[in-house]
């Protein structure tokens, strides 16, 4: 999780100024401070159940999601009205790739934080009906009663939902999970469709 946050902060700094939420340092600094607060309070593993820590986690993830969606909206605006990065296929693909990757990281952390009450709650008890059902939970023959999803499982979910634009092996059961996966699919569809179409047009 920490690596995902750091990667997202670096990608934010690499974005063109027109696609970034605030100054170049603002969002990465806020993400870094929130990450430091989380790791300082629970440095070894995510195991403490605290309302304050959960609030910090949700704030961090919400900031990342808002930043990714803001960059997507600004990229769409630049594609429609013309922007500095839209005249070069290379610059456009680079900016689009950064926005798309940031979206995957942000939504994967959102799933990680919201599914079944968060990582600390999952470590203690998995509900009978989780918000996101993984294959290990859907297949009795796997006998995975003690299995718990880790961040890499949610990262895979975020990636496949952004590429297939639909659920693959992880099924959303809760209404919020279906809604969030729908939003992520729409965002990815817009990024991939418009960016690739514009890049091909520039090359032609």
């Amino acid at each position: 999780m920490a690596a995902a946050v750091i990667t997202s902060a670096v990608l934010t700094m690499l974005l063109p100024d027109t696609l970034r939420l605030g100054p170049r340092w603002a969002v990465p600094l806020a993400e870094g401070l929130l990450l430091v607060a989380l790791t300082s309070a629970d440095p070894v593993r995510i195991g403490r159940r605290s309302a304050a820590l959960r609030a910090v986690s949700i704030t961090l993830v919400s900031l990342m999601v808002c930043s990714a969606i803001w960059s997507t909206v600004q990229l769409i605006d630049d594609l429609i009205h013309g922007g500095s990065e839209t005249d070069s296929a290379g610059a456009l693909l680079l900016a689009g790739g950064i926005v798309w990757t940031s979206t995957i990281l942000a939504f994967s952390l959102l799933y990680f934080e919201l599914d079944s009450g968060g990582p600390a709650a999952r470590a203690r008890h998995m509900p009978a009906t989780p918000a996101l059902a993984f294959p290990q939970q859907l297949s009795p023959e796997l006998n995975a009663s003690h299995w718990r999803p880790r961040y890499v499982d949610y990262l895979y979910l975020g990636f496949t939902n952004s590429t297939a634009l639909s659920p693959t092996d992880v099924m959303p059961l809760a209404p919020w999970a279906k809604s969030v996966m729908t939003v992520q699919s729409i965002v990815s569809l817009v990024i991939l469709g418009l960016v690739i179409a514009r890049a091909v047009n520039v090359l032609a």
Side-chain angles (χ1 to χ4, degrees):
M1 179 184 177
V5 175
I6 293 171
T7 301
S8 178
V10 172
L11 291 176
T12 299
M13 296 182 69
L14 295 177
L15 279 173
D17 292 338
T18 56
L19 303 184
R20 196 183 308 108
L21 178 61
R24 181 182 298 271
W25 52 267
V27 172
L29 177 61
E31 292 174 351
L33 292 175
L34 291 170
L35 180 61
V36 168
L38 283 174
T39 53
S40 298
D42 199 5
V44 179
R45 57 184 300 178
I46 300 173
R48 290 183 57 189
R49 296 188 66 180
S50 163
L53 286 179
R54 182 154 173 76
V56 173
S57 296
I58 292 177
T59 300
L60 172 58
V61 173
S62 298
L63 176 61
M64 293 177 64
V65 171
C66 289
S67 177
I69 293 178
W70 172 270
S71 297
T72 301
V73 172
Q74 293 303 116
L75 180 61
I76 294 170
D77 183 71
D78 281 1
L79 287 168
I80 295 174
H81 298 103
S84 57
E85 73 280 351
T86 61
D87 295 328
S88 167
L92 178 58
L93 290 173
L94 177 61
I98 291 175
V99 173
W100 185 68
T101 303
S102 298
T103 300
I104 293 175
L105 293 173
F107 277 89
S108 67
L109 286 167
L110 186 63
Y111 300 135
F112 176 77
E113 186 58 43
L114 295 184
D115 184 31
S116 302
R122 289 193 302 270
R124 288 168 171 77
H125 174 71
M126 286 295 293
T129 305
L132 294 164
F134 291 84
Q136 291 88 339
Q137 298 163 321
L138 294 173
S139 302
E141 63 272 13
L142 293 179
N143 192 26
S145 58
H146 299 291
W147 181 83
R148 299 289 186 273
R150 296 177 295 173
Y151 172 67
V152 66
D153 299 297
Y154 296 99
L155 179 60
Y156 176 75
L157 167 61
F159 177 78
T160 55
N161 195 48
S162 284
T163 51
L165 307 178
S166 64
T168 53
D169 62 338
V170 182
M171 295 295 106
L173 303 181
W176 74 259
K178 296 177 181 179
S179 301
V180 172
M181 290 184 70
T182 299
V183 171
Q184 186 190 6
S185 295
I186 293 173
V187 169
S188 294
L189 177 62
V190 169
I191 294 173
L192 295 175
L194 291 181
V195 168
I196 293 175
R198 175 61 179 171
V200 170
N201 185 55
V202 171
L203 289 173

